[in-house]
């Protein structure tokens, strides 16, 4: 396995060394090839996502295919501008001079992706790597095997396989890849493996982007349009892979006097979205595998020691389906309030005053996203100032992920580095400063001997 990984790296590095991936034409051709995959094979992609995750077609199109389509479109539109050296003003220190920042590809990069959005989380970083002129190896998640093998097939058919390659496999293959020398590693997944990635990268001083997870809080103040807030939370939690998303609201914080209204309206809206029998709903993704199903059952059983289910709770192990489940009064020591839930269970914590949310959130690791629903400007400002998170949304969930003008990434335990839009291009580029001087003016102050007259300039 190690030999195969070594051979892959040797082959792709040789392709990178020819310089072909650096040209505008190569980058544009590979971005167009990616677009071709999307347009010619959308049905197969939708089917693969259904097979791996029972992902509803609408979610497959919006959250996976459209995301990559938008990234390719933007990169193709902006590529000339992104690649152009950026002029920078110079100071008296180097007078007279001119300066530019040149975006240089890093070389050969490794993208390791996760199973929950197995198509988008694989190709989105690849689009950034190609746009920036790199050769790239993609290792999709083995937990979404149908999507992984489809990606391998389509990349081989449409892309320049001398410089863009998919390596399929599980821990052994990923480990073999991680032991090679890369110019950047872009990893999406859990923080435990994130640490393994960082350790392997350290050996070669390889820079990394780690797109990890965490417990994303949603804080609900009482002065809000409750119905709209409830719908937006439901869309962000269960309308996105049935809670198996890194930026799904992981738990809610609201006040004690407001919680029963909140539970009522969420239950009503949930029934409107997923019907009276959510396990039969075609609009809800399944749980990825038995391991995660059992993990969620254990988490729910533990949460019920202190808390009570106020909505949902149904499950069907034979189909790996689990209903949207709201649980109230869970102990703050429970698994549900300690670990990332990454599934359809949503605990609600109640507090006397909404300002107590700061203590709760800041008592945990920095989340990938934090959501606040309020009409109180002062609370909003305090939230943005005092909550450190990968990203913040006021009065909605998830949407920052889809805004190409915003960097997407974590902080602390939720990750390092960011991508999306131009930030993807930057994540895979070295910003090389180039300063240029002429020979005409040569001020001698900087040259020895450092006479007292020259010291006056200090
Ligand atoms: P996963 O099991 O698919 O693992 C991710 C990748 O790591 C896979 O490609 C897998 O092959 C590799 N891997 C697994 N074990 C390994 C090991 N021991 N050594 C080397 N490589 C190994 O995905 P996961 O970790 O279950 O993903 C869920 C986590 O990912 C959650 O925490 C979630 O929040 C996070 N996530 C983050 C983002 C983001 O954009 N920040 C997106 C999706 C998921």
């Amino acid at each position: 396995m190690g030999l195969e990984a070594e051979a892959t790296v040797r082959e792709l590095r040789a392709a990178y060394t020819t310089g072909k991936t650096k040209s505008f034409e190569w980058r544009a051709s590979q971005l167009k090839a990616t677009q071709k995959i999307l347009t010619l094979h959308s049905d197969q992609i939708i089917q693969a996502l259904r097979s791996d995750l029972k992902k509803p077609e609408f979610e497959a199109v919006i959250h996976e295919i459209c995301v990559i389509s938008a990234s390719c479109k933007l990169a193709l539109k902006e590529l000339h501008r992104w690649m152009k050296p950026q002029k920078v003003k110079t100071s008296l220190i180097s007078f007279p001079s001119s300066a530019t920042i040149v975006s240089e590809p890093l070389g050969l990069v490794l993208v390791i992706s996760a199973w929950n959005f197995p198509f988008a989380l694989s190709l989105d970083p690849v689009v950034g790597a190609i746009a920036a002129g790199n050769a790239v190896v993609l290792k999709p998640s083995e937990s979404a095997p149908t999507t992984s093998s489809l990606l391998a097939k389509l990349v081989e058919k449409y892309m320049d396989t001398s410089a863009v390659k998919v390596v399929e496999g599980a821990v052994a293959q990923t480990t073999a890849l991680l032991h090679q020398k890369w110019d950047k590693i872009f990893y999406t997944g859990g923080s435990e493996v994130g640490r393994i990635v960082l350790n392997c990268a350290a050996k070669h001083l390889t820079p990394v982007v780690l797109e990890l997870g965490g417990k994303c809080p949603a804080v609900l103040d009482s002065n809000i349009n409750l119905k709209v807030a409830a719908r937006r939370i439901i869309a962000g939690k269960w309308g996105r892979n049935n809670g198996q998303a890194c930026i799904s609201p992981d738990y809610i914080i609201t006040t004690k006097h407001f919680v029963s209204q909140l539970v009522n309206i969420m239950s009503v809206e949930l029934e409107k979205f997923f019907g009276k029998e959510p396990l039969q709903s075609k609009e809800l993704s399944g749980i990825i595998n038995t391991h995660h199903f059992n993990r969620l059952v254990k988490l729910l059983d533990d949460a019920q020691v202190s808390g009570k289910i106020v909505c949902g709770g149904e499950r069907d192990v034979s189909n790996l389906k689990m209903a949207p489940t709201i649980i109230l009064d869970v102990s703050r020591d429970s698994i549900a309030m300690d670990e990332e839930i990454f599934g359809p269970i949503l605990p609600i914590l109640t507090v006397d005053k909404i300002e107590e949310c700061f203590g709760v959130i800041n008592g945990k690791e920095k989340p990938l996203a934090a959501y606040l629903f309020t009409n109180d400007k002062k609370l909003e400002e305090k939230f943005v100032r005092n909550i450190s998170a990968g990203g913040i949304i006021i009065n909605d969930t998830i949407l920052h992920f889809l805004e190409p003008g915003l960097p997407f990434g974590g902080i602390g335990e939720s990750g390092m580095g960011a991508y999306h839009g131009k930030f993807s291009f930057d994540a895979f580029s070295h910003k090389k400063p180039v300063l240029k001087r002429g020979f005409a003016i040569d001020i001698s102050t900087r040259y020895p001997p450092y006479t007292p007259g020259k010291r006056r300039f200090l």
Side-chain angles (χ1 to χ4, degrees), residues 131-148:
N134 298 278
V136 49
V137 171
L138 164 66
K139 215 303 287 172
S141 175
E142 67 277 20
S143 300
T146 318
T147 311
S148 174

Side-chain angles (χ1 to χ4, degrees), residues 122-437:
S122 293
L123 285 188
D124 216 10
V126 169
V127 166
I130 289 168
N134 298 278
V136 49
V137 171
L138 164 66
K139 215 303 287 172
S141 175
E142 67 277 20
S143 300
T146 318
T147 311
S148 174
S149 81
L150 181 64
L151 274 165
K153 239 184 278 164
L154 296 177
V155 165
E156 177 149 13
K157 181 161 180 196
Y158 290 98
M159 303 188 76
D160 172 4
T161 48
S162 70
V164 184
K165 217 179 184 81
V166 174
V167 173
E168 286 196 89
V171 176
Q173 285 79 3
T174 318
T175 307
L177 288 171
L178 282 171
H179 284 140
Q180 308 305 311
K181 185 177 185 326
W182 303 93
D183 297 304
K184 187 140 201 174
I185 302 175
F186 188 108
Y187 167 78
T188 304
S191 54
E192 212 175 297
V193 178
R195 285 182 167 78
I196 297 175
V197 171
L198 203 50
N199 252 320
C200 293
K203 186 176 169 209
H204 298 290
L205 289 179
T206 301
V208 297
V209 170
L210 299 179
E211 293 284 343
L212 311 177
K215 292 189 76 62
C216 303
V219 177
L220 272 85
D221 199 3
S222 48
N223 58 352
I224 54 173
N225 183 328
L226 185 50
K227 184 174 168 184
V228 173
R231 292 165 76 92
R232 290 177 181 176
I233 286 174
I234 294 170
K237 178 78 177 176
W238 297 285
R240 217 174 144 76
N241 229 11
N242 203 5
Q244 300 164 104
C246 53
I247 45 173
S248 278
D250 185 273
Y251 64 103
I252 284 181
I253 304 176
T254 195
T255 54
K256 284 180 178 137
H257 86 271
F258 189 61
V259 70
S260 57
Q261 277 183 69
L262 174 64
V263 170
N264 286 343
I265 196 124
M266 283 188 71
S267 307
V268 170
E269 295 302 314
L270 272 168
E271 193 175 312
K272 280 191 206 159
F273 289 0
F274 303 115
K276 278 188 191 317
E277 292 183 47
L279 293 184
Q280 309 305 322
S281 172
K282 293 200 165 32
E283 320 290 358
L284 266 183
S285 291
I287 306 303
I288 182 76
N289 54 33
T290 318
H291 163 75
H292 280 281
F293 192 91
N294 292 339
R295 175 184 67 78
L296 288 164
V297 168
K298 192 171 151 211
L299 184 146
L300 192 55
D301 289 346
D302 177 73
Q304 284 180 89
V305 173
S306 53
K308 58 176 183 300
I309 293 176
V310 288
C311 179
E314 307 89 344
R315 59 210 192 212
D316 171 7
V317 64
S318 61
N319 269 320
L320 296 180
K321 290 283 247 181
M322 198 174 270
T325 299
I326 301 176
I327 182 153
L328 208 56
D329 297 329
V330 280
S331 147
R332 295 192 188 180
D333 301 330
S334 61
I335 305 173
M337 284 313 300
D338 186 38
E339 292 175 6
E340 180 183 9
I341 293 175
F342 218 61
I345 300 159
L346 183 66
I348 301 183
L349 284 192
T350 54
V351 288
D352 292 319
K353 288 203 164 116
I354 204 68
E355 280 74 15
E356 290 172 44
C357 72
F358 293 102
V360 176
I361 299 169
N362 288 332
K364 297 183 179 299
E365 297 292 351
K366 295 178 180 184
L368 185 57
Y371 306 116
L372 169 68
F373 290 79
T374 188
N375 276 314
D376 179 345
K377 189 84 188 130
K378 282 212 170 96
L379 181 66
E380 176 188 325
E381 283 168 7
K382 194 172 167 189
F383 196 82
V384 172
R385 206 173 44 245
N386 293 331
I387 296 298
S388 183
I392 284 180
I393 302 189
I394 309 296
N395 296 333
D396 213 320
T397 61
I398 303 289
L399 291 182
H400 65 311
F401 181 87
L402 300 170
E403 274 302 333
L406 294 176
F408 180 77
I411 175 168
E413 276 287 315
S414 57
M416 59 181 76
Y419 73 134
H420 286 184
K422 167 81 164 31
F423 300 98
S424 289
F425 177 86
D426 291 341
F428 288 103
S429 303
H430 166 57
K431 300 291 166 187
K432 184 165 66 180
V434 178
L435 184 79
K436 182 176 175 184
R437 304 201 69 207

